[in-house]
Amino acid sequence: MSKPILTINKLIEEAKQFCKIQSKENHIELLGVTDGKAVGTYIEHKFQNYLDEKYTMEIGSSAKGIDLPSKDINTDIKVTSVKQPQSSCPYRDSKQKIFGLGYNLLVFVYNKKDSAGRCELDFEYCTFVPNERTADFTTTKMIRDIIKADGNEEDIISYFYNINLPGDEITYTQIAERIMENTPKQGYLTISNALQWRLQYKRVITLNNSVEGIVNFEKDELDE
């Protein structure tokens, strides 16, 4: 019997179920592990295997860059501790900060608790962020305010200089022209300039389903 094809709606629902199941297990392999990257890799692989047992789907590789790369899913899995909900992702170009990363995000936020012979992973938040909402909150808010105030390309380019957006004058002009043609949606990540983007999730994981497209589950729902 063939497995059903994974869809975005099924992905979101399965993420919620996965959190419920994993919150009750003893993750003995992680007992004493303090490396957040190791914990994240463990959870990512466990979730991918969980999906793979139930659905027909494409699993990504480091070469493809994101965890679930098929065109209809196009989603990267991010796992982060509730103590500092952030991670990094490859820097492609400056437009990502304004128009989105180019893919959706599924963010698992855990609280790891070790005791004698037991390691618990309490999932505090689970959030799906569609690509069009993965831009930087402050940058998109300021751009949208400039547009509302009847600003022009020069105003937008001036703003880019003020925030040291990575790029040169040609890059700024190209982005500003695109913005004037198509105002970007409000983003909800905090993206810091670096050789890799630093993504911070505190705002997006606590939206409580108040923004269209962003799906939030919090601890009380994940413990049911």
Side-chain angles (χ1 to χ4, degrees):
M1 184 176 173
S2 61
K3 294 181 286 187
I5 294 172
L6 183 66
T7 64
I8 289 291
N9 287 340
K10 287 175 181 174
L11 173 67
I12 294 168
E13 184 55 37
E14 292 292 359
K16 180 180 178 182
Q17 295 303 319
F18 175 79
C19 289
K20 288 182 180 182
I21 294 166
Q22 299 304 314
S23 291
K24 295 171 183 173
E25 288 193 6
N26 180 10
H27 302 273
I28 197 71
E29 305 97 317
L30 295 179
L31 190 60
V33 174
T34 56
D35 179 6
K37 192 169 184 179
V39 176
T41 300
Y42 170 88
I43 294 171
E44 283 175 25
H45 288 170
K46 203 154 195 186
F47 182 58
Q48 286 176 322
N49 291 337
Y50 170 84
L51 291 174
D52 195 39
E53 288 176 1
K54 302 174 75 171
Y55 296 97
T56 298
M57 52 178 278
E58 182 182 355
I59 292 179
S61 63
S62 54
K64 290 184 176 173
I66 65 173
D67 297 302
L68 302 170
S70 61
K71 284 185 179 180
D72 49 341
I73 302 296
N74 191 32
T75 299
D76 203 27
I77 302 166
K78 297 293 186 182
V79 182
T80 180
S81 168
V82 71
K83 294 173 185 175
Q84 195 171 21
Q86 64 178 25
S87 65
S88 61
C89 80
Y91 168 85
R92 191 182 300 158
D93 62 54
S94 299
K95 292 191 293 293
Q96 290 176 295
K97 200 164 183 176
I98 297 162
F99 294 102
L101 297 174
Y103 46 85
N104 312 313
L105 292 180
L106 181 61
V107 184
F108 293 106
V109 183
Y110 67 86
N111 185 10
K112 183 175 178 288
K113 299 175 183 176
D114 287 3
S115 57
R118 185 166 182 82
C119 173
E120 295 180 359
L121 291 173
D122 281 346
F123 285 91
E124 302 281 342
Y125 302 96
C126 176
T127 299
F128 177 81
V129 191
N131 169 53
E132 62 268 23
R133 298 295 189 181
T134 61
D136 180 70
F137 177 84
T138 303
T139 306
T140 48
K141 186 176 189 307
M142 292 300 294
I143 288 169
R144 290 170 63 83
D145 286 347
I146 290 169
I147 298 296
K148 283 178 190 172
D150 294 325
N152 58 22
E153 285 181 25
E154 286 72 24
D155 297 316
I156 293 169
I157 290 169
S158 176
Y159 172 63
F160 292 162
Y161 278 109
N162 288 341
I163 63 170
N164 292 317
L165 186 75
D168 55 19
E169 187 175 353
I170 294 171
T171 302
Y172 288 1
T173 301
Q174 289 173 341
I175 296 174
E177 286 173 353
R178 181 174 167 186
I179 287 169
M180 294 305 293
E181 291 172 4
N182 184 19
T183 304
K185 286 195 173 184
Q186 178 63 56
Y188 284 91
L189 300 183
T190 299
I191 304 178
S192 304
N193 293 349
L195 293 176
Q196 286 191 314
W197 291 128
R198 292 296 298 172
L199 309 179
Q200 297 177 42
Y201 305 115
K202 195 165 187 180
R203 178 180 288 103
V204 75
I205 63 178
T206 56
L207 286 171
N208 197 25
N209 297 302
S210 60
V211 175
E212 184 180 358
I214 298 177
V215 182
N216 298 102
F217 299 114
E218 295 191 14
K219 184 171 169 49
D220 55 347
E221 295 174 86
L222 300 174
D223 285 344
E224 288 174 359

